[in-house]
Amino acid sequence: MSAPTQAHAELERMDSKKDEVYTTSADAEGVHKLGEGYIDHTTAFAGLSRIQAMRKFWRACTFCMITAFGVIMDGYQTSLPGSVLANSGFIKQFGTVVNPTTGNVSVNAQYISMWSGLAYLCQFLGNWAGGFISDRFGRRYTLYALTVVFTGGIITEIVARNYKDWLAAKMLMGLGQGLIQQGVLTYISEVAPTQLRGALMSTYGWAYALGQLFVAIALNTLNMTDPENYLKAIYSEFVFLGLWIIALPFLPETPWYYARKEDEVSAKKTLHKIYKGVEGYDIDREYNAMLVEIQEEKQKSHSNSEVALKDIFMGPHLRRTFASVFALVMQNWSGSPIIFNYTTYFLQQAGLPEPFQASVIVYCILIFSLMVSFYGIERLGRRTLILSGGLACTVFNVAIASLGFAKKSSSVDSATLAFICLWVFMYAFGFAGTGWTCAAEIATPRLRAKTTAFAASTNAISGAIFNSTVPLMISATSRNWGVKTLYMFAILGGVGTVINFFLLPETKGRTFAELDEMYDLKISPRKMKAHVTTLEESGLKQHK
């Protein structure tokens, strides 16, 4: 008897047991329906509330939070090179453009454009390399790979003395960011309990923003104490890297990876490590449920071969792939390349008197808003947050850009900073973390690594385009558009919001099997929230 057939038989045998442990009343009510032929091919804990899931699966949540710490490192190490551009010591080392009127030296905008463009190109390569490593060798090996790359990037930043050296450092950091985007999202999506998956995956945006806040604080402190020694900020990157290296060995491989490789011993060993001590947790039952779902995925794909890239564009997966792409690409289309990737530099070019202090304010608001969205993503839903965030950011982009025509004054500076803060709040609340959550959730588990890699790499391509052109747009030594550049992002953000209205499903509280079912039935993404699935009809899960 084959493994999938054995899994079905085992589930049926377990469902007939009178002494089986059910964790909720919904599970108990569903026993007779299981006897009538319904097979629970998800989990015996589908009926748990979020609070119950957090208490029962605290170890799984802990592993997800440890993984999210790597994103803090990512946020710090990839944001520092962009924010340090406004540091006087950095400008003195890498500046080549001399203002004929004042004699002040500045960094060539073309260099900044090249640094950012090639960094995002390497991020694109890192996304795909992460998908390959993740599928071939394991999710954890991607995390090891990004650690090596980030270490090389820091060392290169320290020894860099000209724009070519700094370019090499930026490219390594971009490659590492691509690896961490793919690796962390895939890892958390396969370890997190269904009820907490959205909240735990949204920690990506929160952790990245926390890293950016630390950068703003570090550079503001450096500007007040020793503004000429930019290398002090570079050395501080080793703090986060060291903590990440200490935590990394404690992370287990995901059970889904082993199950897909038909490595039953390793899969059950990992399940035991993640769910150790959970009352009523039957490893055999949960592993067999995973096998059933994997087998169903293979049957739907009409192939038992390795996942190919073309699979993410076949049948219903095409809609799911583009939904993942546009949920994530809104981060760039909304204006983040101008406000976040060059925060201090942008505020400096906008004419604000204290750009380093203003950047600290911006990132404090970012952190607060992300904490609010951490609650909202499970309460309001992914679709609601992304659509509301897209609409609000579009309006604020128009407001900020319009202030660029006003005569320079303290009141105009205050209004500009106020609208930037409002933009940051709605950006973080709407899709800073939600976009990454959707990018990994919408795809079917079999294609998750490839779909996430494609969505992240598409986002990286748009980032490469914007981050190579934005410095030229806002620089006083180039186009000198300043805040008026945000008119372009207002148009893009509006278009992206309309596209998401038609493409984006609501994944809140949905298991992967439920999403597969709704896409197979060709339910409109706009109507998926109200659709009652087979699992809900069985009584094992309450429709919300």
Side-chain angles (χ1 to χ4, degrees), residues 376-447:
I377 194 171
E378 294 294 356
R379 176 66 63 178
L380 302 177
R382 287 67 150 156
R383 177 182 166 88
T384 301
L385 293 189
I386 288 180
L387 293 180
S388 61
L391 180 61
C393 285
T394 298
V395 173
F396 292 138
N397 279 337
V398 173
I400 298 169
S402 298
L403 287 171
F405 291 99
K407 185 178 179 180
K408 179 70 177 175
S409 67
S410 59
S411 59
V412 171
D413 289 342
S414 298
T416 300
L417 181 59
F419 276 117
I420 289 175
C421 290
L422 288 172
W423 182 97
V424 169
F425 180 87
M426 287 308 302
Y427 170 88
F429 180 73
F431 36 72
T434 313
W436 289 110
T437 301
C438 289
E441 276 189 335
I442 294 173
T444 190
R446 183 179 66 90
L447 302 176

Side-chain angles (χ1 to χ4, degrees), residues 181 185 201 204-205 328 331 431-440 456 459:
Q181 286 173 350
L185 289 173
M201 290 181 68
Y204 184 99
L328 188 56
Q331 293 187 343
F431 36 72
T434 313
W436 289 110
T437 301
C438 289
N459 192 43

Side-chain angles (χ1 to χ4, degrees), residues 333-335 390 393-399 401 485-496:
W333 285 20
S334 65
C393 285
T394 298
V395 173
F396 292 138
N397 279 337
V398 173
T485 308
L486 287 172
Y487 276 130
M488 177 184 72
F489 289 104
I491 296 173
L492 289 171
V495 172

